[in-house]
Amino acid sequence: MASKPKLHYFKGRGRMESIRWLLAAAGVEYEEQFITVKEDLEKLKKGGSLLFQQVPMVEIDGMKMVQSRAILNYIAAKYKLCGKDLKENALMDMYVESIMDLGEMIMLHPFKPADAKEKDLALILERATTRYFPVFEKVLKDHGQDYLVGNKFSRADVQLLEVILMVEELQSDVLSAFPLLKTYKGRISNVPTIKKFLQPGSARKPRLSEKEAAEAIKIFT
Ligand code: GSN
């Protein structure tokens, strides 16, 4: 039996969280090796395990994969969580990249200086509610299907749910103006593998605290 994928990252969401989500959605068990101090990262670098001296790194199928998007693409393709043809995949790429643009703004928020936080939060919520969520609400309205692309559960659904939940952590009623997204959120949350991942005790990571953000800075800079 092939060994479980092994994830190397710090014990926070960052650029690994979508990978954790996607593996969980595919029903794949994995191990995590947490980088807790700068020396852990240096050891990985010196050992030649990091192609570009960066994490996330995932040991999978005999590879030491880096670059979070490459890792996500591999997992999506391997576990058939992508589209059925080039055009579905092109659409999915556009959706997923926009979701990741929003996700990156949220990921960087804890690292913003105190005097920039309020403005940054307002920008995140503005982008979510005026640029991204209206598009996905309209997609669901126009095709009337249960899933975002191709009437089939895919990485786009996994990644959209992940970002919806992150925005809700910032403003709990954010979906009030998006009724179809609200129903969609419930539906995707009930996909059995996702439902399991949403239970307490799963590998899903909580929001980064101020203290954890400071620790991450010490590791990575
Ligand atoms: O998506 C990716 O995996 C890369 N394009 C970026 C990965 C990255 O920036 N990694 C940082 C940690 S912060 N985010 O995940 C990293 O490993 N920095 C250490 C270094 O020495 O550059």
Side-chain angles (χ1 to χ4, degrees):
M1 203 180 81
S3 55
K4 290 180 191 173
K6 191 169 179 182
L7 280 46
H8 299 262
Y9 201 60
F10 84 107
K11 201 177 181 174
R13 289 179 179 173
R15 289 189 170 83
M16 189 65 99
E17 191 67 359
S18 297
I19 297 169
R20 297 183 182 109
W21 267 85
L22 202 56
L23 284 168
V28 177
E29 285 186 23
Y30 51 90
E31 293 171 11
E32 297 206 66
Q33 180 74 54
F34 295 118
I35 294 165
T36 55
V37 288
K38 201 171 182 62
E39 289 67 37
D40 295 338
L41 183 63
E42 292 305 318
K43 210 170 144 190
L44 280 173
K45 288 184 184 182
K46 289 205 178 89
S49 293
L50 306 178
L51 194 56
F52 300 110
Q53 319 302 320
Q54 291 174 316
V55 288
M57 189 271 275
V58 175
E59 294 183 63
I60 184 166
D61 297 337
M63 300 180 283
K64 290 186 173 173
M65 285 199 75
V66 293
Q67 290 294 355
S68 49
R69 284 173 163 78
I71 299 166
L72 287 165
N73 292 345
Y74 181 78
I75 295 164
K78 178 169 181 180
Y79 295 102
K80 313 236 177 314
L81 289 167
C82 35
K84 69 170 183 322
D85 55 28
L86 268 176
K87 284 196 174 174
E88 269 194 15
N89 279 325
L91 190 60
M92 207 174 286
D93 283 347
M94 290 192 276
Y95 292 166
V96 163
E97 286 298 323
S98 75
I99 291 164
M100 290 178 83
D101 285 349
L102 179 58
E104 182 158 305
M105 290 176 80
I106 299 169
M107 178 183 80
L108 295 176
H109 182 67
F111 300 98
K112 297 282 172 188
D115 62 357
K117 275 205 159 64
E118 197 180 327
K119 214 171 153 191
D120 187 58
L121 177 63
L123 180 64
I124 293 169
L125 294 171
E126 188 208 308
R127 285 282 157 81
T129 55
T130 65
R131 179 172 295 186
Y132 299 113
F133 289 177
V135 171
F136 297 119
E137 180 79 6
K138 184 171 185 306
V139 167
L140 294 171
K141 185 167 187 283
D142 288 352
H143 68 30
Q145 297 166 353
D146 283 355
Y147 305 105
L148 219 46
V149 179
N151 211 8
K152 177 180 164 281
F153 178 62
S154 75
R155 66 176 298 186
D157 300 306
V158 181
Q159 293 189 244
L160 181 55
L161 177 64
E162 182 195 355
V163 91
I164 286 174
L165 296 182
M166 286 198 293
V167 179
E168 282 189 329
E169 285 173 345
L170 303 174
Q171 189 188 305
S172 59
D173 66 349
V174 73
L175 288 187
S176 57
F178 304 98
L180 297 179
L181 270 181
K182 207 170 173 175
T183 313
Y184 168 86
K185 174 195 144 187
R187 184 161 57 244
I188 305 302
S189 300
N190 266 307
V191 169
T193 51
I194 301 271
K195 196 171 177 174
K196 193 172 164 198
F197 192 60
L198 292 174
Q199 300 295 318
S202 83
R204 188 175 170 226
K205 301 292 176 276
R207 260 175 97 172
L208 208 64
S209 66
E210 297 276 331
K211 187 167 165 271
E212 288 163 330
E215 282 165 10
I217 288 171
K218 273 197 235 155
I219 295 172
F220 293 117
T221 55

